[in-house]
Amino acid sequence: MTTTQVRGTCPHDCPDTCALLITVVDGVATEVKGDPEHPTTAGVLCTKVSRYAERTYHPDRLLYPMRRVGNKGEGKFERITWDQAIDEIATRLGSIAARDPQAILPYSYCGTMGQVQGESMSMRFFNRLGASQLDRTICANAGFIGYKYTIGATIGTDLEQFQDARLIIIWGGNPIASNLHFWMRAQEAKRRGAKLIAIDPYRSLTAEKCHQHIALLPGTDSALALGMMHVLIAEGLVDQDYIDQYTLGYPQLQARAAEWTPERTATTCGITVDEVLDLAREYGQLAQRGEPVAIRTNYGVQRVRGGGMAVRNIACLPALVGAWRHPAGGIQLSSSGSFPLNKAVMQRPDLLQQGSRTINMTTIGDDLLKPASPEFGPKIDAVIVYNANPLAIAPDSDKVMRGFLRKDLFTVVLEHFQTDSADFADILLPATTQLEHVDAHHAYGHLYMMANNAAIAPMGEAKPNTEVFRLLAARMGFTDPCFHESDDQLAAQAFDSSHQRAVHFDWESLKQKGWQKLAMPDAPFAHGGFPTPSGKCEFYSASMLADGFDPLPAYIAPYESRASNPALAAKYPLAMISPPARNFLNSTFVNVTSLRSTEGEPRLDMHPDDCAARAIANGDMVRIFNDRGSFVAKARVTQKARAGLVVGLSVWWKKLSSDGKNANQVTSQALTDMGRAPTFYDTLVQVEKV
């Protein structure tokens, strides 16, 4: 027997981007574990990725190209050869492109976060083809925009510093489920005497283990941040020296914050005045004593109408109290802006020979149903889906399904399994998993460049995404040299090796070591140097004003709430959020038997008062509905959900739910204030016993 150990990287949409060690015995991966030498992974994997071998060798893996033989959505296919598949795809796309290549749309997101198997050869192909561009907004775009207006780039507190903080505010996230290695640092800080405060409408697993949980109303985070500013300024808990040297617009911020009294804030957020006062005072007083105070904010904050502004407001707080002076102070939303990525080299936008329209992935339900028009452009005639599962994850799901049911829509899906979206494919192609291909990774929760080596040969006839698009490019006559580059050649270009943060990046050495830390300072903004136009933390942003936004922190009410839309709330009185289930990652891992068995079945957490008003008992099947649609789940009576809020942990594959539906039946295609991102947590529903 030949046993080897191969270095890899977790590819999934998670901040932790873990370093993997894959044990291979005679060509078979027998174990996937965390690298104990990697400082952030520390030998620990989440439950999901520890089962990666089970996922790779799953009996339902797609192994051969297939062509649809039944109706769309039925999931009936026949096996064909790769030559047949590539010929048919190239012929169909060529015919459409001859009329207007903008009628072709790629649909992809973060099924892999890799720089190679994500958007490299695929984007080269679509740019050369002249296809529509996809605005990839569905996760973090609103928060990124709000953060960048304030800080300048998605740069923040290093994960490896959080254990030294004296106060950690976990704002809009559940790191036990979605950011395990940050949670390990937070737990260490707690052991050293730090206080942990969770701000979340739902009493998540993380909130249960914090010293305090502030259960505000969904979509009111920006108001709470403004209320904190009011108290900090009114009670002299700000760092005036830091403000004077390293911020812009403090006098204007003072006037705005003065409007947000603790009483107004408490009423808006649905919490007590004492919660507002105590939170601000604890944060400000610790900082004033020279103690490091840190905020870990996550993407739940920004999935509402005012999501971009919410993140902006929260991002102002560390500069107000001088928290950036300390390595363990400040804020982290994402570390992705720290990485010197070579996106232009990888994706080659210069191959686009003429202008192309952009389609927002969040509004795919509406856009697939639109006819051609001067404003919209050509009707979408073809969709190529890879690294995504739109039938499960896109909002307003009934419209998404109606779009993919169109008989005249040519759909190609690259996948590991026959997902909800795969059932609607005309051509279904088998893709390799992370154990079967090469990739280069950055992270959005730590500061390490990462390498993934192929541990095993591809299963069946599966091919990497890159190879599929190379084959299509060749069949369509694209002779540009960039379509001949190997995966290793692509990976070697992923990072800008001349950039000071890259520490002399070299792909071959990265492959051998597995990971390499960027050359970032421990406290990135201790002495200012923000990558904003002014070089300062911008409380007042001229860029926002130029872009049509309020240049100061503000509160933007949800689309759907009792306060902002009382008529709608009279009909649908319950707010609904659908955060990630612990054993799934978006819609990935839902079909892994051991993980789905642990998760059980779709459930809806409801407060006892809301259940009593509807004669719903624990374990009853309930229907959750609004004007957009409905789905069924099993009620779980619990005080984890505050009164007036229901929580459906997601995202289930529809085909694995009892009614063939999931939470996105009721979510909206309405977009956020900035970033054109989704408003998944800005949803009103009614619930009734089935």
Side-chain angles (χ1 to χ4, degrees), residues 329-378:
I331 184 172
Q332 188 193 91
L333 171 71
S334 168
S335 63
S336 58
S338 304
F339 289 84
L341 300 178
N342 254 342
K343 287 190 176 182
V345 172
M346 297 293 282
Q347 300 179 13
R348 295 294 302 276
D350 57 295
L351 293 171
L352 189 62
Q353 297 173 357
Q354 59 187 22
S356 182
R357 69 175 173 188
T358 298
I359 300 292
N360 191 332
M361 69 184 305
T362 299
T363 58
I364 188 66
D366 279 342
D367 291 336
L368 284 177
L369 298 172
K370 286 181 180 177
S373 70
E375 297 77 25
F376 181 64

Side-chain angles (χ1 to χ4, degrees), residues 601-632:
E601 60 186 306
R603 294 180 182 271
L604 188 79
D605 284 358
M606 298 182 66
H607 190 273
D609 293 350
D610 295 324
C611 289
R614 293 163 177 78
I616 293 170
N618 192 61
D620 283 348
M621 295 302 293
V622 295
R623 174 175 171 259
I624 305 97
F625 63 97
N626 58 21
D627 290 341
R628 289 180 287 271
S630 68
F631 69 104
V632 169

Side-chain angles (χ1 to χ4, degrees), residues 399-467:
K399 284 188 176 179
V400 179
M401 183 177 68
R402 283 165 49 202
F404 277 97
L405 277 171
R406 279 176 38 205
K407 292 182 179 180
D408 63 333
L409 179 72
F410 179 58
T411 303
V412 179
V413 176
L414 286 65
E415 255 298 354
H416 303 138
F417 300 101
Q418 198 167 322
T419 62
D420 292 335
S421 300
D423 285 344
F424 290 78
D426 294 293
I427 300 292
L428 183 54
L429 302 176
T432 47
T433 68
Q434 189 75 346
L435 302 190
E436 301 160 86
H437 57 228
V438 167
D439 217 329
H441 290 259
H442 73 302
Y444 64 92
H446 61 69
L447 297 174
Y448 289 85
M449 299 179 291
M450 310 285 286
N452 185 74
N453 295 280
I456 59 174
M459 300 280 289
E461 295 180 9
K463 294 185 184 295
N465 292 343
T466 46
E467 183 61 18

